[in-house]
Amino acid sequence: MVRSERMGAVLTLAERAEQQAAQALESARAQLLNEQQQLEQLQQYRAQYIQEYQNRRDGVRPAELIGYSSFIQRLEAVLAEQDKKMLLLQQQLAQSQQQWQQKYRKRKSIQELIERLRQEESTALEQKLQKELDELAAQQHWHRRQL
């Protein structure tokens, strides 16, 4: 087995690692998108709730105002947590992107190495065949001279 063929197993492993990294990257993107959508929904809900709160402020009993205010504060806390979660997911996405790029570059370099080895093996085989043909031609020439 020539060296380029032996490197095929290494390439297969590198391809699997790249595929796994690509799947992790896609998963991180999907999770970030999902959390972004949740954040936007929470922000819209907050805006609607505040608008309702402001519209009802006149003529509302103090206990109800305290309830509205308390709920808005809890909603703000949830939004703050969602912002933290988004930041963490963005960092994870960046890490996944870097890992995928690293696996991609590794696979690409292995492919290039295999191609270079194949070219070298092909050149060496061509040189060997040419040498054998030259030797055969020389032997035939020598035999003709002997006759």
Side-chain angles (χ1 to χ4, degrees), residues 142-147:
W142 186 78
H143 281 292
R144 278 192 226 139
R145 288 187 70 204
Q146 294 294 325
L147 296 175

Side-chain angles (χ1 to χ4, degrees), residues 1 6 15 20 35 44 55 68 73 75 77 81 86 90 94 98-99 113 115 121 124 131-133 138 141 143-144:
M1 179 181 282
R6 290 191 306 261
E15 287 171 340
Q20 289 173 347
E35 294 298 329
Q44 289 173 356
N55 290 343
Y68 271 110
Q73 287 175 352
L75 197 51
E81 284 299 314
M86 289 291 298
Q90 288 168 346
Q98 288 174 348
Q99 289 173 354
L113 172 63
E115 185 57 36
E121 291 162 358
K131 182 179 177 184
E132 289 174 3
L133 286 174
H141 179 68
H143 281 292
R144 278 192 226 139

Side-chain angles (χ1 to χ4, degrees), residues 28-44 79 82-87 89-90 93:
R29 282 183 179 148
Q31 190 175 5
L32 181 63
L33 179 61
N34 184 40
E35 294 298 329
Q36 179 66 38
Q37 289 170 345
Q38 284 184 347
L39 178 63
E40 289 171 3
Q41 288 173 347
L42 283 169
Q43 289 170 337
Q44 289 173 356
L79 282 166
Q82 189 69 11
D83 281 337
K84 287 180 189 177
K85 194 173 188 180
M86 289 291 298
L87 185 58
L89 289 173
Q90 288 168 346
L93 178 63

Side-chain angles (χ1 to χ4, degrees), residues 45-90:
Y45 181 68
R46 178 189 62 188
Q48 290 171 352
Y49 197 81
I50 288 173
Q51 184 64 40
E52 181 182 322
Y53 170 74
Q54 288 175 345
N55 290 343
R56 293 191 62 200
R57 225 160 108 182
D58 298 331
V60 176
R61 291 179 295 167
E64 290 176 336
L65 286 176
I66 291 172
Y68 271 110
S69 178
S70 175
F71 184 74
I72 289 173
Q73 287 175 352
R74 287 194 304 263
L75 197 51
E76 291 293 334
V78 169
L79 282 166
E81 284 299 314
Q82 189 69 11
D83 281 337
K84 287 180 189 177
K85 194 173 188 180
M86 289 291 298
L87 185 58
L88 179 64
L89 289 173
Q90 288 168 346

